[in-house]
Amino acid sequence: MIRANGKTLRHSPRGGWLGLVATVLLASRIAVAAGEGVFDVRAHGAVGDGQTLDTTAINKAVETCAQAGGGQVRFGPGRYLSATVHLKSHVTLSLEPGAVLVGAPDPNSYQYPTPPSFLPEAKWGKWHRALILADGQEDIAIVGAGTIDGNKVFDPRGEERMRGPHTFVFLNCRNVTVRDVSFVDSANYAVFFQISDHVDIDNVRFTGGWDGVHFRGAPGHPCRDVSITNCRFYTGDDSIAGRYWENTVISDCIINSSCNGIRLIGPAENLIIHDCLFYGPGRHPHRTSNRYNMLAGINLQPGAWDATEGDLDDVFISDITMRNVTTPFHFMMKPGNTAGRITVTRASATGVYRAACSVESWAEAPFKNVTFRDVDIGFEGGGSADTAPREVKAPGVDARPLPAWGFYARHVENLTFEDVRLTCTKPDHRPAMICEDVNNLTLDTFKFPTFDTVPEPVTLKNVRNVRRP
């Protein structure tokens, strides 16, 4: 259920992704239309010459707009140098073509919210600094064909001795729209939000920086009803990441990264990833390591970074294309987490250069129901004989080489392959698939090349029931 400006909009989590997108878009249109007044930042003293600090003038325009009941704060063409802008309820920042909001160069001039104590990130203090900040607001938006430039405001005293303020931070907000703008050179995450609901990010371009969109809820306080559609990501770090999500749609996006495409580091329920293109290498460097190669396309790994508790369930991944990734799919969970239904359908990948696809539980509970249907994956292969007997240990935070070249499964209740086709460019001395501790394995048209050096191309260990229709 979504509430926007006093109106109740109902959505069934199992009613399909199109219904969810329509509902969230309707809420966003209501948010943008909340106020009718237009308040020009230049009329409130902004200069827009890229040298004069316009922070005070911009915040004055926002405050005046909010006191008038809401509306648009207009940025005409120009370069507006600013530290933290405080976005208020019922206010839309409208950046016209040629308008650029530029981060002020002093990392100490930025402000941050105080997250509630139940958020694990609350103790991080200034890590939450932002160029645009909204705390406990509703019906807010950033729209227009302009640009928000984080200006690479690095901080030698920040995370990794380099990260500075995020570009847009909102905390405990409702009905948030980000549409048509471009984010460039963020000094940390471009869009970062926590415990916020009804968020629509549409037709936005992310270039450089660290994560493009990163959002986190908390146990009992997930981020609900989030839509990320028609966006282009060219990021140095993960394009989309976070944890504790409920009712999330990621659709019609181009995802290019020097890290992971989508990385989930905690629980999520009713997650839809549809009609997206993932490709590497990244156009912009991973700032910490200065590498460009793309890692996993979709990395679902509850508990990999720190302890989380909750369920990964009702995940539907469809119509996906990938190129030049370490692995298309890395599904893994650590103790404290559970996983229900995950379905991958109509997916293709080429140039997979490091790791097999994996579904592996290192938690007490197994993955319950995982299905791959109508999937084509092309691996580079070339694994040598000495990699084949390698003992499999719990992964770290990224996919790693495995003793199978195609698929690896561990601790799964029901694992199904329907019309799955694997290819391998170079002969590989490892099995095509290894399954360990699987209760029910269904192989319904599972095709792969065989090599003379591999007598057992499908290796089953403690697999109790195998079904070959």
Side-chain angles (χ1 to χ4, degrees), residues 92-134:
T92 293
L93 301 184
S94 179
L95 284 78
E96 295 188 349
V100 185
L101 178 62
V102 184
D106 180 6
N108 297 314
S109 65
Y110 293 83
Q111 297 172 320
Y112 54 89
T114 302
S117 59
F118 64 76
L119 278 172
E121 299 83 2
K123 60 186 177 182
W124 295 349
K126 75 170 188 176
W127 182 83
H128 294 84
R129 293 173 296 180
L131 172 56
I132 303 171
L133 174 60

Side-chain angles (χ1 to χ4, degrees), residues 12-57:
S12 169
R14 298 180 187 271
W17 71 272
L18 288 173
L20 175 58
V21 171
T23 302
V24 175
L25 289 176
L26 175 59
S28 72
R29 287 194 292 269
I30 292 171
V32 174
E36 297 180 353
V38 176
F39 301 82
D40 196 302
V41 294
R42 289 184 183 270
H44 291 78
V47 178
D49 62 359
Q51 298 180 357
T52 304
L53 197 61
D54 288 326
T55 312
T56 300

